Amino acid sequence: MKEVILIKNGELALKGLNRRNFEDLLIKNLKFRLAPVSKFQFTVAQSTIVAEPLQEDADMDRAGEIISRVFGIAAFSKAAATEKNFQTILKTAREYLEDDLMGASTFKVEAKRADKTFPLTSPEICTEAGGYLLNAFPHLTVDVHNPDIKVTIEIRDEYAYIHGRQIKGAGGMPTGSAGRATLLISGGIDSPVAGYMMAKRGLELIAVHFASPPYTSERAEQKVHSLLRQVAKYSGRIRLWVVPFTEIQEHIKDNCPEDIFTVVMRRMMLRVAQIIALKENAGALITGESLAQVASQTLPAIVCTDDVCSMPVFRPLIGMDKDEVIEKSRKIDTFDISVLPYEDCCTVFTPKHPKTRPTLEYVEKAEKCFDYAPMVEQAAEQARLVIIDNR
Ligand code: ATP
Ligand code: MG
């Protein structure tokens, strides 16, 4: 029996003339992500993408798992594809959905007839198939309003498709459809969630991580790789730039008043990240900041941080409480990695009494105490590329 996956687009349906482009991009992403399972052939009809494996032994459970994390998909279901002979359709429905039907008490049949030359009408298909299944599974009763399982029979051009349970997709927009942005990722809880949220809206992620050896260890960087591998399960491949940050941090420590270490450091980070973003054709930066969570994330501190950056800085967590962020990080399986106890460059030089209301004037004056511009250029120049792929 041939098994396929029927994929329902998410918001794509709303995009009018652009819809074809979005669909093409979604298919391109699906091809890439499903490549380790099998080559697939994709056809589009009536806002459904049919994914058909070209390898007979393709692991369709794994394909389903991968598809459940691809953005731009509202829902999907695995389906049996059969020839359009009604007896074959009935037999296939019984065999293919046996486990699901055995585990249910109520069901209903729904028919969709795209091929109008098919000899039975949709209501006839429902009645006949409903009767046949009741006979085959006598423990079942029909419930048209709230069935445990809905058996769908779709008569399309080439095949009839039979499917049961529909699985919710990851939602959002296809990765890349909204352009590219650069995620500043630490080893903490927040930034991976921020990356996930913006990738969901269609942004392709480039990541930047600031490392300060010997204050930060190799294991701290490996932690960032692990976090990004998890995010990449949703966003697709990520190019990570690891920036050597020790020299800049030591200069900040030696030259700036302690109460604004973190704000100055964040400004340096944004300066470097913006250089890398421009090289990578990214149009925005992303951080995991949340208003008032710590001293460097108060409104005056954010004003000081933003001032060094000409591209927009997206902060998707800005209005979220920590427990809401944690809930999301558990959902995308980054939480357990984030709480591993490796030091981050921010924690190494944390001031005891940070200023919660820094002014631009104060911060700019402090920065004038050392010649940071060439160091910023050099840090961006010396960044090391790591490709994070998790398919
Ligand atoms: P997170 O949980 O993401 O570390 P946080 O609440 O600990 O966030 P901070 O440490 O103040 O907050 O960092 C704020 C933001 O600055 C992070 O969300 C991240 O976007 C960025 N950032 C912090 N440290 C680094 C780093 N070492 N490399 C890259 N970006 C960083
Ligand atoms: Mg942090």
Side-chain angles (χ1 to χ4, degrees):
M1 184 195 54
K2 190 197 279 291
E3 195 175 28
V4 299
I5 299 184
L6 304 180
I7 298 165
K8 301 274 177 209
N9 296 340
E11 271 179 57
L12 298 195
L14 304 172
K15 297 293 167 194
L17 289 175
N18 276 334
R19 179 167 159 178
R20 260 311 291 272
N21 295 343
F22 280 88
E23 252 163 22
D24 289 349
L25 184 58
L26 178 55
I27 289 172
K28 187 175 147 238
N29 292 346
L30 281 164
K31 264 192 189 147
F32 184 77
R33 300 280 287 279
L34 287 170
V37 174
S38 161
K39 263 199 166 150
F40 276 77
Q41 179 179 302
F42 295 88
T43 41
V44 186
Q46 289 105 24
S47 78
T48 302
I49 297 171
V50 182
E52 180 182 341
L54 297 178
Q55 240 165 272
E56 279 206 355
D57 58 347
D59 180 344
M60 294 298 273
D61 287 337
R62 171 127 187 264
E65 249 170 59
I66 292 172
I67 289 174
S68 74
R69 290 189 292 258
V70 172
F71 291 131
I73 294 172
F76 65 97
S77 35
K78 280 187 243 169
T82 73
E83 55 167 330
K84 293 190 290 185
N85 168 302
F86 196 55
Q87 287 313 311
T88 315
I89 292 172
L90 293 176
K91 186 165 167 284
T92 307
R94 191 187 72 212
E95 288 170 5
Y96 184 61
L97 299 175
E98 182 173 4
D99 287 351
D100 285 343
L101 289 166
M102 285 305 289
S105 339
T106 58
F107 81 112
K108 94 182 228 193
V109 179
E110 196 172 89
K112 291 179 189 164
R113 198 178 59 135
D115 170 10
K116 300 294 179 202
T117 65
F118 191 74
L120 279 76
T121 63
S122 294
E124 282 166 354
I125 296 171
C126 291
T127 315
E128 293 288 324
Y132 175 85
L133 292 173
L134 275 175
N135 215 356
F137 301 93
H139 72 285
L140 287 176
T141 52
V142 174
D143 180 346
V144 290
H145 299 297
N146 197 14
D148 294 339
I149 174 168
K150 193 167 81 182
V151 175
T152 307
I153 299 175
E154 300 190 33
I155 314 288
R156 301 254 184 159
D157 288 343
E158 198 177 344
Y159 297 106
Y161 297 114
I162 297 138
H163 52 99
R165 208 162 62 89
Q166 219 181 38
I167 302 160
K168 201 167 177 304
M173 306 292 287
T175 301
S177 62
R180 244 184 214 184
T182 299
L183 169 69
L184 283 82
I185 180 147
S186 66
I189 295 169
D190 302 325
S191 39
V193 173
Y196 164 86
M197 286 174 73
M198 295 320 297
K200 185 172 180 185
R201 294 309 303 161
L203 284 170
E204 183 189 342
L205 299 181
I206 304 290
V208 172
H209 174 67
F210 295 88
S212 296
Y215 306 104
T216 62
S217 65
E218 171 63 22
R219 288 205 302 186
E221 188 192 319
Q222 291 303 325
K223 179 182 176 185
V224 170
H225 294 191
S226 309
L227 286 169
L228 284 176
R229 269 200 295 277
Q230 199 52 40
V231 176
K233 284 188 182 169
Y234 296 87
S235 68
R237 187 162 58 180
I238 299 173
R239 289 160 65 80
L240 162 68
W241 292 96
V242 181
V243 179
F245 204 49
T246 318
E247 193 189 1
I248 294 179
Q249 270 196 310
E250 284 178 339
H251 273 81
I252 296 172
K253 186 166 171 280
D254 294 343
N255 294 286
C256 296
E258 190 187 319
D259 59 0
I260 50 162
F261 273 3
T262 313
V263 172
V264 174
M265 191 175 69
R266 198 75 69 226
R267 282 161 62 94
M268 297 298 167
M269 284 183 174
L270 257 64
R271 288 181 172 116
V272 177
Q274 184 164 252
I275 296 173
I276 293 173
L278 288 170
K279 274 194 206 149
E280 286 278 8
N281 270 324
L285 303 181
I286 303 167
T287 75
E289 288 161 308
S290 160
L291 189 65
Q293 193 187 79
V294 287
S296 61
Q297 298 174 23
T298 61
L299 180 54
I302 288 176
V303 169
C304 292
T305 312
D306 264 2
D307 191 65
V308 301
C309 200
S310 59
M311 51 176 74
V313 181
F314 293 151
R315 298 179 169 90
L317 314 187
I318 199 73
M320 285 169 77
D321 291 348
K322 193 76 185 187
D323 55 353
E324 293 169 319
V325 179
I326 288 175
E327 193 185 317
K328 259 203 187 320
S329 76
R330 286 191 195 281
K331 210 184 102 200
I332 63 170
D333 283 331
T334 52
F335 182 79
D336 290 340
I337 309 169
S338 291
V339 294
L340 293 173
Y342 308 127
E343 67 299 319
D344 181 58
C345 68
C346 296
T347 46
V348 177
F349 295 105
T350 309
K352 279 192 204 68
H353 303 289
K355 230 183 178 34
T356 52
R357 298 174 164 275
T359 62
L360 255 184
E361 202 188 352
Y362 183 67
V363 173
E364 280 172 353
K365 191 167 153 227
E367 281 180 351
K368 287 213 176 78
C369 297
F370 71 107
D371 189 15
Y372 62 82
M375 287 180 224
V376 164
E377 288 287 336
Q378 198 188 31
E381 193 79 9
Q382 291 177 344
R384 173 168 44 85
L385 178 64
V386 182
I387 303 285
I388 307 285
D389 197 352
N390 196 356
R391 290 186 287 167

